[in-house]
């Protein structure tokens, strides 16, 4: 259960309008860096290798070029209170060249409310010196040093980026002026209770290489006009997605060849399928085809210093009229600021710290658009909802305890409430680790309460880059137990229990009625929609608050689900993921995604499914019976594959495996293409006279095998070794030996045949599969023994992008996770306080690359009505099954109860997939059931016994009202114990 992807309708996207100077195309450098030095350390810098095992998820966010630039940056972070340590943690995980942590102050009680690397025994010690060894454990590749002197000018020159936290205005101005003059990037971050701010000064001018981090778009062309400017029309299969100011290049254009390989051209969008380019009036006539691809252009941006900014603000304000001009300060806001400024809150530090660390990465790499230049944040809705309700000085006074920084804002009563909370955390991956850290800092379950965290996964090396509670020596250990032990170190008073269970119907004996009823709330830290929706349903049923969040690279979202107030997570759904038609994959791929999906299918069809089926055929007596019941042509296909696996294609030596690989290569990359081009020659026309090979159909060409082609040999080596491993044959990595074997392999001559049917559409394919070849099926039953993309001229992509698409890997980075979880925990504080107003809660959306932040009220739970009764998804009928006489309600009594109590006539009654009653039920069956107890009917129909853990059943109803009209009603919770 690692960091969860954005899902549902809460995905964020967006982009910055771009302008850019002319430049040569920039391609990422492919580096094969998969090992860690023997001593576990590696210096960062120009000659540093990137440990892909550690940084894999982050590489999909930043790319290799940005990672290389980051590894050349030395970063100073001043101030090691809660905000400073949060920034340092994220920057160290990110993988800069070095980090120096600076502080001249000593640990105080109030620091412990958010500084997770300080402990009670550290009180009175220098914060930087105590934090340094704990921060250094986060990443073996990043040296971390502590500095306790003054920030003199000559000392600052050692760094490319300087971050100031917990700093005076005088120091900020002094350091800011020096850094600006020397081209040192400066970030100032501050939090005061529920307020936060961030300021960036990245010099007079800075080049941003990629403003939004999105993958470059491409589209297929259907027309280009000869005009000034020329207008490009794309195929209407999908919108092109470009924006005015984007730069594009062209390939595979037939006719207007001047565009192929031209320098990047700026475009102006005219519509979802059209855009204009340069003057094409003098170009040759466009014939057909072509691919247009977006090119990321560097963008220069400028920063003003603090004094200039202040002057600009004054000028802007003085030029305003009416309500736009600020005549006087917001005294109420200032009063709230003064009351909470002494506070130090972990969630606010997590949010601002995540943002600040991302700005450090932007400063180091030129990747993503920096904050221009000031960001302000507050979470005042966390305070009491009643207008004018203020805590007394006594309630907020320091107690000389670890929560002093939080008590200063919320008082001691909330602290006691937090300590009594019982929360269920589902997942201990990246989001789960950040949540646990925040739980420990705010004192959740620090008294009589408890945090139960479950995760069935073990720790892997790639987790260490984001899941900051884990260390290299924890690899292979269980996530939940390791995370629980780590946060106990941060706050020994937290009561926490680790489980290794998957949440779902299979574990409802563990997470039963008693378990859920004892909870105060649930936090999801999941990586898939199905598990999220399951937990959402459980929370709605048990009426428990749910904190839901997810990340996808630099994008993040937070959703809060409050009983009787908001909609649930499942109330809205994303459209299903777009699938690729089989015929496109097999015969007419036109994008890298198609060839990679084809390769995934090919791998499974060669090395996974056939061996599994063959083993089942040999070991499972019912395999044949099950296979023959499969629909359409599947029985023939499955048994044909088993026959090949066990008879015709079964290798006896390494040479057999090489021969199989060579013949398979010939079939896939030469013979099949020659047959395709025999059926549909390059100049073929459709019945309407249009070229067959046009639009999304790109004409392929057959390949000629050569042992001197590294790509061809890589394929043979991989395929032969995989095939050998499948059959337990000893493989080999000796390329020279394989070349020698290949010289003796007889590759049958291939001649394309007429009359071979190639399906142009999936409908064609479906129709052909509808009938079974009975004669071949009978033959197989008797014969069975007893118990690459270059062929389609696609532009190659780098290895990393291939892995991302093929592995369906979720890009992830620590900064986004930290910021998202900070917002989650602010919502948690509101829930514990018992906020009742919809507007008090905030769903959050962010994209740190743009940067973009948006907060909105949750959507209210939709209301329904029958008669004058108003209900939502949180409402239900509560029916007690046991009668006063100790006997259980019968079906007749159940039907009568609804008729008498609710004026509803039940027409259908079901439990899960079991139909218990319907108005059209045969009279004999109805008579049999009417006087049976409800639980007896359930067990009889479902053929399952009710577990002793089940306290209530859920029934769904279809009802008519007194006027015999259908009415929509809530479900029934029928209590049996």
């Amino acid at each position: 259960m690692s960091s969860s992807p954005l899902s549902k309708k809460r995905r964020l996207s967006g982009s910055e309008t771009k302008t850019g100077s002319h430049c040569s195309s920039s391609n990422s450098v492919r580096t094969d860096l998969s090992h860690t030095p023997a001593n576990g350390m590696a210096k960062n810098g120009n000659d540093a290798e990137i440990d892909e095992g550690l940084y894999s998820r982050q590489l999909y966010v930043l790319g290799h070029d940005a990672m290389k630039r980051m590894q050349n940056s030395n970063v100073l972070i001043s101030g090691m209170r809660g905000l400073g340590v949060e920034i340092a943690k994220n920057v160290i995980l990110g993988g800069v060249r070095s980090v120096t942590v600076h502080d001249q102050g000593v640990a105080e009680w109030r620091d412990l409310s958010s500084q997770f690397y300080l402990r009670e025994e550290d009180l009175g010690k220098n914060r930087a010196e105590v934090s340094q060894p704990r921060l250094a454990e986060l990443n073996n590749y990043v040296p971390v040093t502590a500095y306790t002197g003054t920030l003199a000018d000559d000392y600052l020159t050692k760094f490319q980026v300087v971050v100031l936290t917990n700093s005076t205005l005088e120091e900020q101005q002094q350091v800011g002026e020096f850094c600006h003059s020397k081209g040192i990037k400066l970030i100032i971050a501050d939090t005061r209770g529920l307020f936060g701010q961030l300021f960036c000064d990245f010099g007079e001018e800075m080049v941003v290489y990629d403003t939004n981090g999105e993958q470059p778009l491409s589209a297929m062309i259907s027309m280009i006009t000869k005009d000034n400017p020329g207008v490009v029309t794309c195929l209407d299969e999908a919108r092109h997605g470009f924006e005015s100011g984007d730069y594009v290049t062209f390939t595979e254009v037939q006719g207007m060849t001047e565009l192929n390989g031209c320098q990047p051209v700026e475009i102006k969008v005219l519509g979802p399928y059209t855009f204009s380019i340069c003057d094409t009036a003098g170009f040759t006539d466009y014939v057909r085809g072509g691919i247009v691809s977006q090119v990321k252009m560097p963008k220069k941006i400028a920063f003003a210093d603090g004094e200039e900014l202040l002057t600009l603000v004054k000028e802007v304000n003085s030029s305003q009229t009416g309500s736009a001009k600020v005549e006087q300060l917001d005294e109420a806001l200032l009063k709230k600021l003064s009351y909470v400024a002494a506070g130090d809150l972990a969630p606010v530090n997590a949010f601002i710290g995540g943002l600040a660390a991302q700005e450090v990465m932007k400063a180091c790499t030129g990747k993503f658009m920096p904050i221009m230049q000031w960001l302000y944040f507050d979470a005042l809705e966390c305070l009491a909802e009643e207008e004018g309700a203020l805590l007394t000085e006594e309630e907020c006074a320091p107690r000389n305890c670890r929560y002093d920084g939080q008590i200063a804002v919320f008082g001691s009563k909330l602290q006691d409430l937090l300590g009594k909370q019982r929360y269920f955390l589902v997942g201990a991956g990246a989001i789960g680790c950040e949540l646990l850290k925040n739980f420990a800092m705010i004192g959740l379950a620090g008294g009589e309460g408890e945090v139960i965290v479950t995760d069935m996964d073990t720790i892997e090396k790639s987790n260490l880059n984001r899941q900051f509670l884990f260390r290299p020596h924890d690899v292979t250990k269980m996530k939940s137990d390791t995370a629980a032990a780590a946060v106990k170190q941060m706050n020994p008073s937290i009561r926490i229990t680790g489980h290794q269970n998957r949440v779902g119907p299979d574990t409802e004996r563990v997470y039963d009625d008693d378990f859920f009823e004892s909870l105060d709330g649930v936090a999801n830290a999941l990586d898939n929609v199905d598990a999220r929706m399951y937990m959402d349903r459980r929370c709605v049923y048990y009426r428990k608050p749910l904190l839901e969040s997810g990340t996808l690279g630099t994008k993040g979202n937070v959703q809060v689900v409050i009983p009787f107030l908001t909609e649930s997570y499942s109330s809205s759904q994303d459209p299903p993921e777009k699938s690729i038609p089989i015929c496109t994959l097999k015969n007419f791929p036109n994008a890298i995604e198609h060839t990679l999906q084809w390769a995934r299918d090919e791998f499974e069809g060669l090395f996974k499914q056939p061996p599994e089926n063959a083993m089942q055929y040999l070991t499972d007596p019912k395999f044949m019976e099950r296979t023959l019941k499969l629909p359409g042509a599947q029985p023939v296909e499955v048994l044909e594959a088993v026959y090949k696996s066990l008879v015709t294609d079964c290798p006896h030596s390494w040479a057999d495996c090489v021969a199989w690989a060579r013949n398979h290569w010939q079939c896939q990359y030469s013979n099949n293409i020659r047959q395709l081009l025999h059926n549909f020659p390059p100049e073929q026309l459709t019945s309407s006279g249009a070229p067959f090979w046009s639009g999304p159909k790109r004409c392929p060409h057959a390949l000629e095998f050569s042992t001197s082609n590294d790509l061809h040999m890589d394929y043979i080596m991989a395929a032969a070794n995989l095939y050998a491993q499948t059959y337990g044959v000893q493989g080999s990595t000796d390329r020279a030996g394989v070349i020698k074997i290949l010289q003796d392999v007889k590759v049958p001559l291939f001649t394309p045949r007429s009359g071979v049917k190639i399906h142009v559409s999936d409908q064609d394919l479906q129709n052909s599969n509808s009938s079974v070849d009975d004669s071949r099926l009978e033959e197989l039953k008797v014969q069975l023994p007893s118990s690459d993309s270059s062929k389609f001229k696609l532009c190659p992509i780098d290895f990393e992008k291939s892995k991302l698409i093929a592995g369906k890997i979720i890009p992830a980075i620590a900064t986004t996770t930290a910021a998202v979880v900070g917002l989650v925990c602010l919502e948690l504080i509101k829930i514990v306080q018992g906020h009742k107003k919809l507007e008090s809660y905030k769903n959050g959306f962010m994209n740190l690359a743009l940067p973009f932040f948006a907060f909105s009220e949750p959507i209210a739970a939709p209301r329904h009505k029958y008669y004058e009764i108003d209900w939502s998804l949180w409402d239900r009928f509560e029916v007690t099954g046991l009668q006063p006489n100790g006997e259980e309600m019968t079906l007749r009594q159940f039907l009568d109860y609804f008729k008498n109590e609710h004026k509803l006539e039940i027409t259908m009654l079901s439990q899960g997939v079991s139909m218990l009653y319907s108005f059209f039920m045969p009279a004999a069956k109805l008579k049999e059931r009417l006087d049976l107890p409800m639980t007896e009917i359930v067990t009889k129909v479902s053929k399952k016994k009710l577990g002793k853990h089940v306290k209530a059943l859920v029934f769904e109803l279809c009802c008519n009202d007194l006027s015999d009209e259908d009415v929509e009603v809530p479900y029934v919770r029928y209590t049996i114990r």
Side-chain angles (χ1 to χ4, degrees):
M1 298 178 191
S2 58
S3 166
S4 51
L6 277 183
S7 56
K8 320 265 291 129
K9 292 177 182 172
R10 298 163 181 92
R11 292 192 177 91
L12 294 176
S13 62
S15 56
E16 181 92 8
T17 302
K18 292 162 284 294
T19 58
S21 57
H22 176 77
C23 77
S24 60
S25 64
S26 123
N27 296 317
S28 62
V29 181
R30 159 87 192 276
T31 328
D32 187 10
L33 311 163
S34 54
H35 68 280
T36 305
N39 63 0
M41 293 290 290
K43 58 183 179 180
N44 281 345
N46 284 323
D47 58 346
E49 295 186 339
I50 298 172
D51 186 341
E52 294 189 7
L54 176 67
Y55 292 117
S56 60
R57 297 296 182 92
Q58 182 174 295
L59 278 167
Y60 295 121
V61 181
L62 297 179
H64 272 71
D65 286 352
M67 278 291 297
K68 285 281 188 185
R69 289 193 288 271
M70 197 154 70
Q71 288 184 338
N72 285 318
S73 301
N74 300 303
V75 180
L76 170 70
I77 301 169
S78 175
M80 279 295 108
R81 298 189 67 205
L83 177 59
V85 79
E86 182 68 48
I87 298 169
K89 177 257 289 181
N90 295 328
V91 170
I92 293 164
L93 289 173
V96 294
R97 185 182 189 128
S98 74
V99 169
T100 300
V101 293
H102 167 255
D103 204 316
Q104 293 183 294
V106 297
E108 307 167 32
W109 276 113
R110 64 182 181 140
D111 296 329
L112 299 184
S113 63
S114 70
Q115 220 285 22
F116 45 88
Y117 284 149
L118 293 181
R119 296 166 190 167
E120 291 187 18
E121 58 266 30
D122 300 325
L123 293 171
K125 297 176 186 175
N126 180 276
R127 287 183 290 241
E129 290 180 338
V130 172
S131 304
Q132 181 270 330
R134 292 160 194 169
L135 285 165
E137 290 179 353
L138 288 167
N139 191 338
N140 285 337
Y141 293 100
V142 181
V144 181
T145 54
Y147 176 65
T148 59
T150 57
L151 296 180
D153 289 354
D154 61 339
Y155 184 75
L156 293 173
T157 57
K158 300 177 181 179
F159 304 98
Q160 284 72 50
V161 184
V162 170
V163 184
L164 296 182
T165 73
N166 194 33
S167 181
T168 64
L169 180 60
E170 183 184 4
E171 184 179 52
Q172 291 171 9
Q173 290 172 331
Q174 181 185 330
V175 171
E177 189 176 329
F178 177 78
C179 288
H180 194 80
S181 68
K182 297 296 182 184
I184 300 168
K185 313 279 196 301
L186 175 71
I187 297 163
I188 297 171
D190 258 320
T191 60
R192 293 284 187 274
L194 290 164
F195 292 81
Q197 68 170 1
L198 199 54
F199 172 77
C200 300
D201 179 3
F202 294 169
E204 294 291 341
E205 194 173 74
M206 177 186 173
V207 176
V208 177
Y209 297 96
D210 180 356
T211 58
N212 61 18
E214 300 294 333
Q215 289 294 337
L217 301 167
S218 66
M220 304 189 79
I221 299 166
S222 63
M223 184 61 198
I224 307 174
T225 64
K226 290 179 68 171
D227 212 339
N228 186 15
V231 174
V232 178
T233 304
C234 299
L235 289 175
D236 59 6
E237 289 191 327
R239 295 164 178 256
H240 55 62
F242 298 135
E243 296 180 359
S244 293
D246 280 351
Y247 282 76
V248 299
T249 56
F250 295 85
T251 53
E252 300 183 41
V253 176
Q254 295 181 43
M256 198 177 281
T257 54
E258 294 90 340
L259 287 175
N260 290 333
C262 71
Q263 294 296 333
V265 179
E266 188 175 358
I267 68 169
K268 181 181 179 182
V269 170
L270 305 176
Y273 307 101
T274 57
F275 57 86
S276 62
I277 51 171
C278 54
D279 182 357
T280 58
F283 290 2
T284 49
D285 290 346
Y286 173 79
V287 176
R288 69 169 183 260
I291 308 290
V292 57
S293 301
Q294 182 186 31
V295 178
K296 293 292 182 83
M297 302 293 286
K299 178 177 179 177
K300 286 186 179 178
I301 55 175
F303 287 77
D305 66 25
E307 289 300 321
E308 284 181 56
L309 188 68
L310 191 59
T311 306
L312 285 170
V313 171
K314 286 178 179 175
E315 286 174 5
V316 170
N317 188 48
S318 62
S319 67
Q320 300 300 313
T321 57
S323 60
K325 188 171 184 178
V326 179
E327 296 293 346
Q328 67 181 74
L329 298 171
D330 184 336
E331 290 186 17
L333 183 64
L334 284 176
K335 194 175 284 187
K336 285 180 179 175
L337 172 59
S338 67
Y339 286 148
V340 304
D344 190 24
L345 301 178
V348 177
N349 287 333
F351 178 66
I352 297 294
L355 271 52
Q358 189 69 58
E359 295 306 304
V360 172
M361 293 184 183
K362 292 175 186 178
C364 297
T365 64
K367 179 92 173 183
F368 310 138
M369 184 60 70
I371 286 172
M372 303 285 288
Q373 282 184 246
W374 209 296
L375 178 138
Y376 162 87
F377 171 80
D378 74 53
L380 290 173
E381 69 280 356
C382 289
L383 295 174
E385 288 183 310
E386 301 78 27
E387 195 60 44
L390 293 173
L391 295 164
T392 65
E393 193 174 334
E394 185 186 346
E395 286 177 304
C396 298
R399 264 84 171 151
N400 286 344
C401 78
R402 66 176 305 117
Y403 308 116
D404 276 357
Q406 189 163 275
I407 290 171
V409 177
F410 296 115
S412 55
K413 286 180 184 171
L414 176 62
Q415 199 58 56
D416 292 340
L417 273 175
L418 284 164
K420 294 173 182 172
Q421 295 294 298
R422 184 174 162 84
Y423 255 75
F424 186 31
L425 172 59
V426 189
I431 285 180
C433 283
E434 290 289 338
L435 280 167
L436 285 174
K437 175 254 289 180
N438 280 273
F439 288 175
M441 292 297 97
I442 67 175
L444 191 79
E448 302 162 15
E450 186 182 16
V451 171
I452 302 98
V453 55
T454 188
D455 196 313
M456 67 283 179
D457 283 352
T458 55
I459 298 161
E460 300 172 10
K461 183 181 178 182
S462 64
N463 300 149
L464 305 179
N465 176 237
R466 304 168 321 287
Q467 300 171 24
F468 85 107
L469 296 180
F470 308 141
R471 301 289 172 268
H473 59 260
D474 294 324
V475 170
T476 73
K477 293 179 184 174
M478 297 306 301
K479 285 185 177 181
S480 55
D481 290 342
T482 310
V487 293
K488 283 284 278 185
Q489 291 280 316
M490 294 177 176
N491 182 355
S493 66
I494 186 172
R495 295 177 61 183
I496 183 166
T497 307
H499 289 183
Q500 288 80 46
N501 301 318
R502 185 189 299 274
V503 292
D506 294 346
T507 53
E508 285 179 9
R509 288 179 179 275
V510 179
Y511 306 122
D512 56 11
D513 291 350
D514 289 336
F515 175 81
F516 270 96
E517 285 165 6
S518 72
L519 295 176
D520 292 293
V522 175
N524 272 354
L526 289 158
D527 62 358
N528 69 88
V529 171
D530 289 342
R532 283 179 161 116
M533 293 182 78
Y534 172 81
M535 286 309 299
D536 178 65
R537 290 194 299 272
R538 300 292 273 173
C539 287
V540 170
Y541 177 71
Y542 292 106
R543 294 165 167 173
K544 300 297 176 184
L546 172 65
L547 294 161
E548 173 59 65
S549 59
T551 69
L552 182 67
T554 58
K555 301 169 188 175
N557 71 286
V558 176
Q559 183 186 2
V560 58
V561 178
I562 307 296
F564 301 103
L565 196 61
T566 73
E567 69 171 10
S568 72
Y569 174 81
S570 307
S571 296
S572 59
Q573 291 185 26
D574 274 350
E577 200 172 309
K578 192 176 179 183
S579 59
I580 305 167
I582 294 170
C583 286
T584 299
L585 284 181
K586 196 171 179 183
N587 299 319
F588 308 111
N590 59 62
I592 284 294
E593 285 79 4
H594 298 161
T595 59
L596 288 169
Q597 183 59 50
W598 174 85
R600 284 169 60 91
D601 294 350
E602 177 83 349
F603 184 93
E604 184 153 320
L606 290 173
F607 307 115
K608 180 179 182 291
Q609 213 57 59
E612 283 180 1
N613 286 340
M615 283 303 294
Q616 285 183 39
Y617 170 76
L618 295 172
T619 59
D620 185 351
K622 293 191 174 179
F623 172 76
M624 185 66 82
E625 182 187 331
R626 281 200 315 273
T627 301
L628 295 175
K629 288 179 182 174
L630 293 171
Q634 287 183 52
V636 174
E637 290 170 1
V638 170
L639 295 182
E640 192 83 70
V642 171
Y643 181 70
K644 280 185 175 180
S645 296
L646 298 178
V647 182
T648 57
D649 291 359
C650 182
H652 301 287
S653 66
W654 169 238
D656 287 349
C657 297
V658 173
W660 173 87
R662 173 65 183 88
N663 279 293
H664 188 76
W665 189 99
Q666 189 70 22
C667 183
Q668 294 291 38
Y669 302 107
S670 181
N671 300 355
N672 288 354
I673 299 163
R674 288 166 64 194
Q675 183 65 56
L676 182 67
L677 293 175
H678 177 78
N679 284 41
F680 305 108
E683 301 307 318
Q684 170 112 359
L685 300 178
T686 65
S687 55
S688 62
F692 176 85
W693 293 104
S694 63
K697 292 186 177 70
R698 299 168 73 175
C699 190
H701 69 281
L703 301 182
E704 291 295 327
F705 182 80
S706 170
T707 54
S708 60
N709 186 310
D710 286 344
L711 194 61
H712 297 184
M713 283 301 298
D714 285 347
Y715 185 95
I716 298 296
M717 295 297 294
N721 274 289
L722 284 164
Y723 205 64
Q725 190 175 350
T726 302
Y727 286 92
V729 173
Q730 181 66 46
S732 171
T733 56
D734 177 12
R735 286 173 91 95
V738 169
I739 290 171
K740 193 172 180 183
I741 294 170
L742 287 169
Q743 291 168 356
D744 296 326
V745 173
K746 299 288 185 285
V747 179
L749 287 173
F750 175 80
T751 305
R753 291 178 292 127
S754 298
V756 173
K757 175 69 175 169
I758 293 179
H759 305 291
V760 178
S761 71
D762 279 10
Q763 188 59 53
D764 249 5
L765 185 64
Q766 262 183 346
N767 295 342
S768 74
N769 281 346
S770 58
S771 59
V772 180
D773 183 350
D774 289 329
S775 60
R776 181 58 185 148
L777 193 57
E778 291 306 315
E779 279 177 32
L780 285 165
K781 284 157 72 175
V782 172
Q783 291 170 346
L784 277 167
S786 58
S787 297
D788 150 280
S789 66
S790 60
K791 66 179 182 179
F792 281 93
K793 296 184 181 176
L794 301 179
C795 295
I797 56 172
D798 64 49
F799 184 58
E800 285 69 40
K801 187 179 176 189
S802 298
K803 285 198 296 185
L804 176 68
I805 298 168
K808 295 187 176 178
I809 293 169
I810 305 301
I813 194 166
T815 49
T816 314
T817 309
V820 160
V821 169
L823 296 179
V824 171
C825 291
L826 289 172
E827 298 307 304
L828 171 62
I829 287 171
K830 298 172 192 175
I831 291 169
V832 175
Q833 287 183 91
H835 282 14
K836 298 285 190 289
K837 297 176 183 174
L838 192 68
E839 60 268 25
S840 295
Y841 294 97
K842 294 286 180 282
N843 286 346
F845 311 83
M846 69 179 77
N847 186 341
L848 302 189
L850 298 179
F852 168 83
F853 308 93
F855 298 93
S856 64
E857 289 177 17
I859 297 172
R863 310 300 299 180
H864 310 275
K865 267 193 175 183
Y866 72 94
Y867 300 128
E868 294 304 311
I869 298 172
D870 192 38
W871 64 279
S872 75
L873 78 159
W874 298 100
D875 295 297
R876 61 196 176 208
F877 295 114
E878 293 280 3
V879 178
T880 304
L882 287 178
Q883 303 296 290
N885 63 3
E887 292 183 5
E888 194 198 338
M889 188 181 277
T890 63
L891 174 57
R892 188 191 303 275
Q893 290 169 327
F894 186 88
L895 299 173
D896 288 345
Y897 171 83
F898 274 86
K899 195 174 286 185
N900 299 330
E901 292 292 322
H902 300 290
K903 308 294 185 283
L904 293 170
E905 183 178 350
I906 297 175
T907 54
M908 282 191 284
L909 172 67
S910 62
Q911 193 256 340
V913 294
S914 302
M915 181 65 71
L916 308 181
Y917 163 79
S918 67
F919 69 92
F920 50 79
M921 187 174 278
K925 188 180 280 189
L926 178 59
K927 185 179 178 184
E928 178 192 332
R929 289 189 186 177
L930 275 174
D931 295 314
L932 289 177
M934 295 295 290
T935 52
E936 195 174 324
I937 298 171
V938 168
T939 53
K940 190 173 183 178
V941 176
S942 67
K943 297 182 173 60
K944 291 178 184 174
K945 288 184 177 180
L946 294 176
K948 291 179 180 177
H949 65 286
V950 177
K951 291 171 67 176
L953 299 172
V954 171
F955 296 141
E956 287 86 28
L957 307 176
C958 289
C959 295
N960 289 345
D961 60 16
L962 293 176
S963 58
D964 214 28
E965 292 290 325
D966 281 350
V967 288
E968 193 176 358
V969 296
Y971 68 91
V972 177
R973 184 173 185 269
Y974 180 81
T975 309
I976 57 175
R977 301 194 213 288

